Amino acid sequence: MKRYPKLFEPIVLPNGVTIKNRMESTPSGLHFLQGPEPYPNEAVIEHYVNRAKSGAGIVVVTGCSTGSHPNPGHDQNWDMSDGHNQHYVAQLVEGIHAYGAKALHRGLDINEFLMAADAFASGENGNAFLGNNYDVSTGIASAYVVGDGSAPRYDGIECPKKLMLECADKLADFCLSLKRNCGFDGIWIHGAYRHQFIGRCLSPLTNKRMDEFGGSIENMVRYPRLVFRKIKEKCGKSFIVELSISGHDPEGMGGNTLEDTCKMAKLLEGCVDILQVKGPLIDESHPVQFHEETPWLYMAEAVKKSAPNIAVMTVGGCFYPETNEGILAEGKADMIGMARTWISNPDYCDRLKAGREEDIVPCIRCNKCHVPCGKDMWRSFCSVNPKLGLEDKLERMIEPPKKSLKVAVIGGGPAGMQYAMTAAQRGHKVTLYEASDKLGGALKHTDYASFKWPLKQFKNYLIHQMDKNGVEVKLNTKATGEMIKNEGYDAVAVAIGAAPTCPPIPGADGDNVRFAADCYGDAAKELSDEIVMIGGGDIGVETALYLAELGKKVKVLEMLPELIMDAPHAHYKNMVHNYWRRQPNFSFKCGVRVTGIDKDGVTYIDHKGDEGKAPAKDVLLAIGMKAKTDLAMEFAESADIFNVIGDCDSASSVAHAVRTGFALASTL
């Protein structure tokens, strides 16, 4: 705590309310902890309360709705129009208050009242205003769609002034209900990215009005100021109003500049207590591995200088305590907003206070906590925090160890290291055997690709935990079943990973063909400058991008309709798309079936049935992985307790490796 005096320093907001420290748990509710209940269930309550328990000064709760949301119960949209549900929300808020934190509500905006208004559900464009808020929802003058990052699309009718004023009153009344019936301390309003109504008011890209609510900066701020003042009038000065905004609009579109946003911030003094400054677009504002650490800090710094009477918060990649402390100490922001930090580290502040910064688990920015993909699409989980989603039941699931066991772990990848760490923390004596000269397993490639820095930090964290938790590591040691059996271990876990598969393609056994996973570091230098990658999943695309960064011309061929279909579709996929668009050496062709490989390249048939050839001197394969289960079974008789974990059980992901390693070690 002494190392981070600014992070733990109380702050008095412009409305006189004191927050116990400078850290906020920003809106980041987990979609699938919630079942069909129209109120927060026990898992959701415990999840949010744990953020306050760890030390967040403010916890923003996402979920309360008027009941007009099309999916109450899913995505935590609790029906607050029914008084029977409010006492569950009140329990959640009371839990947050029990740890000295303030609770703000997020999940409602002017949009919801507009969608419920009959007058706005009709018009020349039919049901255009009944769609998703991020797509073709109600707009102050038009709906705004970012699409592929090119020019915006406008489609809509101007919202009547009378309806706008009515909805402002309704939002203020709803805030009063949240305060009186549930105990909320304030409201968090979404005004970023020009998506929701307040945000569209604040940008000339979406606000085309000709009355007192459009045109000049002063006019564009007029309606939001009216809304915030009505909330203050109804709920009192102490009711916190926090507004998120984009620091500027996308460049080249003729929207707000950072200077314009600074002027708006000055005009919002007196009715907004906390101003959270985000990026221009929704996808790039969500930290993924292709980001730098804190890309939007310069915006918050400029806004803070212009509006000294608002507490300015920076968000987006604010994870590491040293970085966050420096931001506050240098006066670049007043507060730090974090979302994935509390998901990957529910005890973030506890570890800081105890001087255990090295135990903070690095977030790998995979975005699977938001919305995963494929078979995982309907679960809430974190790739590096195996306890997420199980917080309300872990005490029933995990029993204390009955005695200390002698444990062997075969394989030093993420699954093996997670298993070893968990077993050691439970008091067992653990030895880890790794056949190569260093730990990391499938994560060793992160030492080379520049954009894999978050995953590299996670790998290094696990390696450090081996030493810290007293795990005996034996490198350059290829374990055998007989060796392990002779050592008299009580338990053995095999985590020897998966091997790349070779498809039945003519020429796949040629001298110019290699597996993508084997082409990092010195191996990349041996490749020619003209390469074809067969396979456009995560491994194929990321390896191709790595090689393109090295100056090699790489073309990816993928059988499916698009690349990285196995990647999280929310925010992550678009950021990968944007990254490869900036790589002149990277190209791809989807919907093709490879028919052969020769010394000159790869032949294929496209989705129209036409034949083609991609010239290349080297061909890389990234088509699939096969678990080394057969090799793992050689250890089946080496101990009474035998586990196969990670990719060795089923070739999958870091999340699978970490969760299986944690879960099975917790049974020892």
Side-chain angles (χ1 to χ4, degrees):
M1 193 164 167
K2 293 180 180 178
R3 286 191 59 189
Y4 308 104
K6 284 294 183 181
L7 275 175
F8 287 96
E9 179 183 58
I11 180 173
V12 180
L13 300 180
N15 64 348
V17 173
T18 300
I19 309 300
K20 68 175 183 178
N21 61 42
R22 307 272 174 147
M23 291 172 280
E24 176 178 285
S25 167
T26 57
S28 53
L30 302 175
H31 294 270
F32 306 114
L33 282 184
Q34 184 72 52
E37 311 95 331
Y39 51 82
N41 62 19
E42 219 32 64
V44 170
I45 291 175
E46 183 153 358
H47 176 75
Y48 278 118
V49 171
N50 279 346
R51 299 189 186 191
K53 182 179 180 181
S54 174
I58 295 176
V59 178
V60 183
V61 178
T62 174
C64 301
S65 164
T66 63
S68 63
H69 193 282
N71 295 306
H74 169 65
D75 199 13
Q76 299 176 21
N77 291 297
W78 310 316
D79 183 3
M80 297 297 289
S81 65
D82 186 343
H84 294 88
N85 301 323
Q86 294 182 5
H87 71 285
Y88 285 94
V89 180
Q91 290 176 40
L92 189 161
V93 173
E94 184 60 24
I96 292 172
H97 286 164
Y99 293 102
K102 303 297 183 184
L104 304 190
H105 156 259
R106 189 273 188 205
L108 189 68
D109 190 15
I110 295 294
N111 286 59
E112 188 156 348
F113 298 105
L114 292 173
M115 283 193 291
D118 292 338
F120 212 57
S122 60
E124 295 179 359
N125 294 308
N127 65 352
F129 295 102
L130 298 178
N132 186 291
N133 285 343
Y134 293 107
D135 193 356
V136 288
S137 65
T138 53
I140 191 165
S142 57
Y144 175 79
V145 180
V146 173
D148 63 358
S150 60
R153 186 178 85 228
Y154 300 106
D155 181 24
I157 56 176
E158 185 169 288
C159 181
K161 178 179 176 181
K162 180 175 181 293
L163 181 58
M164 292 170 63
L165 299 178
E166 290 175 358
C167 289
D169 282 327
K170 289 179 179 179
L171 178 57
D173 288 338
F174 188 78
C175 288
L176 182 59
S177 173
L178 291 172
K179 177 183 177 180
R180 286 179 173 174
N181 300 340
C182 303
F184 276 104
D185 303 290
I187 185 170
W188 186 99
I189 294 180
H190 201 327
Y193 324 134
R194 305 148 305 281
H195 284 174
Q196 297 199 17
F197 197 82
I198 294 296
R200 280 194 283 275
C201 288
L202 295 172
S203 173
L205 293 177
T206 46
N207 186 342
K208 304 295 182 180
R209 299 183 73 95
M210 302 299 291
D211 59 11
E212 70 270 33
F213 295 138
S216 66
I217 289 177
E218 290 76 10
N219 283 356
M220 287 191 292
V221 174
R222 193 182 304 276
Y223 182 69
R225 280 167 54 92
L226 181 151
V227 172
F228 305 149
R229 284 175 171 169
K230 282 185 177 293
I231 292 172
K232 290 285 189 180
E233 289 170 4
K234 288 281 178 71
C235 301
K237 179 183 177 182
S238 63
F239 193 76
I240 300 168
V241 173
E242 179 174 344
L243 173 66
S244 76
I245 60 169
S246 290
H248 56 71
D249 283 330
E251 295 179 0
M253 290 188 179
N256 287 329
T257 64
L258 181 54
E259 183 181 358
D260 294 331
T261 303
C262 289
K263 292 178 182 177
M264 289 182 174
K266 184 66 178 176
L267 292 169
L268 291 169
E269 289 183 333
C271 57
V272 170
D273 302 299
I274 303 172
L275 195 60
Q276 185 188 100
V277 185
K278 293 190 169 190
L281 298 170
I282 185 171
D283 287 329
E284 63 184 23
S285 291
H286 286 71
V288 297
Q289 64 174 339
F290 296 91
H291 269 163
E292 57 187 275
E293 190 173 347
T294 53
W296 315 123
L297 178 58
Y298 73 96
M299 298 179 180
E301 184 177 10
V303 171
K304 177 172 164 44
K305 292 177 181 177
S306 301
N309 296 319
I310 294 181
V312 175
M313 179 184 298
T314 186
V315 292
C318 300
F319 181 87
Y320 295 99
E322 296 85 358
T323 300
N324 295 338
E325 178 72 14
I327 290 171
L328 298 175
E330 294 169 18
K332 295 180 178 179
D334 299 300
M335 301 183 71
I336 303 292
M338 297 176 281
R340 289 156 182 79
T341 301
W342 309 102
I343 293 172
S344 56
N345 291 270
D347 53 356
Y348 183 79
C349 287
D350 292 339
R351 296 188 179 191
L352 294 187
K353 292 175 182 177
R356 295 168 49 214
E357 295 88 347
E358 73 278 6
D359 291 334
I360 294 175
V361 187
C363 169
I364 64 173
R365 300 183 171 208
C366 63
N367 213 42
K368 291 182 180 179
C369 56
H370 189 2
V371 180
C373 53
K375 64 183 180 181
D376 293 322
M377 187 171 289
W378 308 114
R379 295 195 299 133
S380 287
F381 68 92
C382 171
S383 288
V384 300
N385 174 16
K387 299 179 182 180
L388 189 74
L390 304 173
E391 296 151 298
D392 62 317
K393 53 181 76 72
L394 276 175
E395 288 186 3
R396 303 192 302 273
M397 293 176 63
I398 299 176
E399 298 180 358
K402 296 180 175 60
K403 63 177 181 178
S404 178
L405 302 177
K406 185 179 180 182
V407 180
V409 180
I410 317 302
M417 288 191 284
Q418 179 69 55
Y419 186 100
M421 176 176 67
T422 304
Q425 289 172 345
R426 287 174 61 80
H428 303 301
K429 181 176 174 57
V430 184
T431 303
L432 186 151
Y433 296 85
E434 168 56 40
S436 70
D437 61 352
K438 61 181 179 179
L439 298 174
L443 301 186
K444 291 176 183 176
H445 73 281
T446 62
D447 289 338
Y448 305 103
S450 65
F451 50 84
K452 300 295 287 185
W453 64 270
L455 203 52
K456 176 182 178 180
Q457 292 184 340
F458 176 62
K459 177 200 62 147
N460 292 340
Y461 156 82
L462 288 174
I463 293 172
H464 174 71
Q465 291 297 319
M466 297 302 94
D467 180 61
K468 178 170 183 178
N469 287 284
V471 176
E472 182 182 2
V473 176
K474 295 188 175 183
L475 299 176
N476 297 306
T477 305
K478 185 174 177 58
T480 65
E482 184 178 1
M483 174 200 304
I484 299 301
K485 186 174 183 178
N486 291 338
E487 290 292 331
Y489 287 102
D490 300 303
V492 59
V494 185
I496 54 177
T501 56
C502 184
I505 299 173
D509 57 350
D511 293 338
N512 63 332
V513 182
R514 308 185 191 189
F515 289 115
D518 299 328
C519 295
Y520 285 84
D522 291 338
K525 300 175 184 178
E526 300 174 4
L527 297 174
S528 67
D529 291 336
E530 191 173 38
I531 301 169
V532 165
M533 175 75 67
I534 302 176
D538 278 350
I539 294 175
V541 170
E542 292 183 356
T543 303
L545 288 173
Y546 161 67
L547 295 173
E549 283 187 342
L550 296 179
K552 300 181 184 297
K553 187 177 181 180
V554 188
K555 181 161 190 164
V556 179
L557 300 179
E558 168 58 40
M559 182 174 63
L560 296 175
E562 61 180 86
L563 299 184
I564 57 168
M565 288 193 71
D566 51 349
H569 62 273
H571 311 310
Y572 185 94
K573 186 172 288 188
N574 275 352
M575 289 306 297
V576 182
H577 290 183
N578 290 336
Y579 190 81
W580 77 49
R581 287 189 186 106
R582 298 193 297 269
Q583 297 296 331
N585 295 326
F586 179 91
S587 63
F588 62 93
K589 191 172 184 64
C590 293
V592 302
R593 179 172 60 87
V594 172
T595 56
I597 303 172
D598 59 33
K599 62 182 179 60
D600 298 317
V602 179
T603 57
Y604 60 84
I605 297 175
D606 66 18
H607 68 284
K608 296 179 180 178
D610 297 331
E611 295 182 354
K613 184 166 186 176
K617 296 178 181 178
D618 285 303
V619 178
L620 306 183
L621 303 176
I623 298 179
M625 304 289 287
K626 182 180 179 181
K628 297 180 182 178
T629 309
D630 292 343
L631 293 176
M633 295 307 295
E634 295 180 6
F635 296 87
E637 303 297 326
S638 59
D640 290 339
I641 301 173
F642 171 66
N643 294 132
V644 179
I645 58 177
D647 285 352
C648 186
D649 170 52
S650 174
S652 184
S653 62
V654 172
H656 172 72
V658 168
R659 181 156 285 200
T660 57
F662 168 80
L664 291 173
S666 296
T667 65
L668 299 178

